[in-house]
């Protein structure tokens, strides 16, 4: 029964990653056309307008205590993380951006040691060096070509986003154990909207009519991804679902080629293989109940 539950959660999480990759396609186009801030502001406003009636219709109690704190904490982290990623995505090919984001599980290893008081083993240190080598190969291959001056800034933004995503991975499991997926989606979008609206008087620009279908599609895909991943992380340990993250590269490479005519380079593939190898090596050293201990500590 336990194995069947893990298998189901794994497949649902794969669907969530594929849905998220589809959202990335729309968000890349929107970030180029509107800027990352406006693309995120209007997408999250649409998502919030969808989720609020759904949440109210289920007549769920308003979250309190630990659940509310982790909703707000993850929303704040996601707001900055998403802006950095989509700002960088407008400047870096989709597959390479996703490949660089794969360093997040390795960073999460050290965050877990700091936050969850887990022990870092030699195996984990080796995994970190392998992943770092992979990231350097991807970056080196990118910078060796003839690209625009803003590519370095885009890579830096994606790497900073990956650091925040590492913390987000810890929060995601803890949040899924405390709240229903609909509640998670509502508060994530609600927190993002609140934060982004603070900058609206300075940066907000109304989208052109032609941008609204893409914004709506991105909102629906984003909501679907949150719901699917939250459902999966509530039913399987983080280490079981870790490999799911790497399926994003397949979708990113395919969508980048189909929609943006982005060629897949050998350095990107080679670097991704090293990063994934490092993450899988690191995943093998996690204790079975680490995620549960982490959730209890944070609560």
């Amino acid at each position: 029964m336990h194995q069947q539950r893990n298998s189901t959660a794994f497949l649902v999480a794969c669907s969530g990653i594929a849905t998220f990759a589809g959202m990335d396609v729309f968000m890349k186009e929107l970030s180029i056309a509107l800027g990352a801030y406006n693309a995120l502001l209007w997408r999250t406003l649409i998502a919030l307008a969808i989720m609020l009636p759904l949440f109210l219709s289920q007549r769920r109690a308003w979250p309190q205590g630990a659940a509310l704190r982790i909703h707000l904490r993850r929303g704040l982290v996601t707001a900055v993380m998403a802006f950095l990623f989509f700002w960088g995505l407008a400047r870096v090919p989709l597959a390479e951006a996703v490949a660089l984001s794969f360093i997040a599980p390795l960073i999460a290893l050290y965050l877990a040691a700091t936050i969850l008081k887990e022990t870092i083993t030699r195996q984990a240190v080796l995994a970190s060096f392998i992943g770092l080598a992979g990231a350097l190969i991807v970056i080196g291959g990118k910078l060796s070509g003839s690209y625009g001056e803003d590519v370095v800034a885009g890579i830096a933004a994606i790497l900073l986003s990956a650091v925040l995503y590492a913390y987000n991975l810890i929060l995601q499991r803890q949040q899924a154990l405390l709240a229903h997926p609909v509640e998670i989606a509502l508060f994530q979008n609600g927190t993002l909207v609140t934060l982004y609206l603070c900058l609206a008087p300075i940066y907000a620009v109304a989208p052109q009519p032609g941008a609204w279908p893409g914004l709506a599609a991105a909102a629906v895909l984003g909501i679907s991804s949150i719901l699917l991943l939250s459902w999966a992380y509530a039913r399987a340990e983080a280490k079981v679902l870790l490999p799911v993250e790497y399926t994003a590269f397949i979708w990113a490479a395919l969508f980048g080629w189909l929609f943006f005519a982005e060629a897949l380079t050998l350095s990107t593939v080679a670097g991704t293989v090293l990063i994934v190898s490092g993450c899988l090596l690191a995943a093998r050293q996690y204790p079975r109940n680490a995620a549960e201990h982490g959730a209890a500590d944070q609560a």
Side-chain angles (χ1 to χ4, degrees), residues 14-29 89 93-96 98 221 247-264:
C14 284
S15 300
I17 293 296
T19 305
F20 194 84
M23 183 197 70
D24 283 347
V25 172
F26 287 99
M27 287 300 293
K28 181 177 176 71
E29 292 181 337
L89 187 60
L94 191 58
E96 292 173 12
V98 170
L221 289 169
T247 63
F249 182 77
I250 300 172
W251 297 110
L254 176 62
F255 292 158
W257 175 67
L258 282 176
F259 297 103
F260 304 105
E262 296 172 350
L264 188 61

Side-chain angles (χ1 to χ4, degrees), residues 141-167:
K142 184 65 181 169
L143 298 182
S144 64
S146 54
Y147 299 97
E149 295 179 357
D150 58 351
V151 167
V152 174
I155 290 175
I158 290 169
L159 290 176
L160 286 174
S161 176
V163 174
L164 293 174
Y165 187 57
Y167 183 40

Side-chain angles (χ1 to χ4, degrees), residues 15-53:
S15 300
I17 293 296
T19 305
F20 194 84
M23 183 197 70
D24 283 347
V25 172
F26 287 99
M27 287 300 293
K28 181 177 176 71
E29 292 181 337
L30 291 165
S31 295
I32 293 171
L34 305 176
Y37 168 78
N38 278 287
L40 281 165
L41 171 64
W42 297 107
R43 187 205 78 184
T44 50
L45 277 169
I46 295 172
L48 182 61
I50 295 171
M51 290 310 306
L52 184 57

Side-chain angles (χ1 to χ4, degrees), residues 238-249:
K239 68 173 187 177
V240 174
L241 300 178
L242 178 65
V244 171
E245 297 288 332
Y246 311 129
T247 63
F249 182 77

Side-chain angles (χ1 to χ4, degrees), residues 79-118:
V80 181
M81 175 190 79
F83 174 79
L84 288 170
F85 181 78
F86 290 118
W87 189 89
L89 187 60
R91 293 157 175 79
V92 177
L94 191 58
E96 292 173 12
V98 170
L100 289 172
S101 73
F102 284 167
I103 67 170
L106 294 174
I107 299 171
L109 178 70
Y110 292 94
L111 289 179
T114 302
I115 298 170
L116 307 180
K117 309 304 180 185
E118 295 180 4

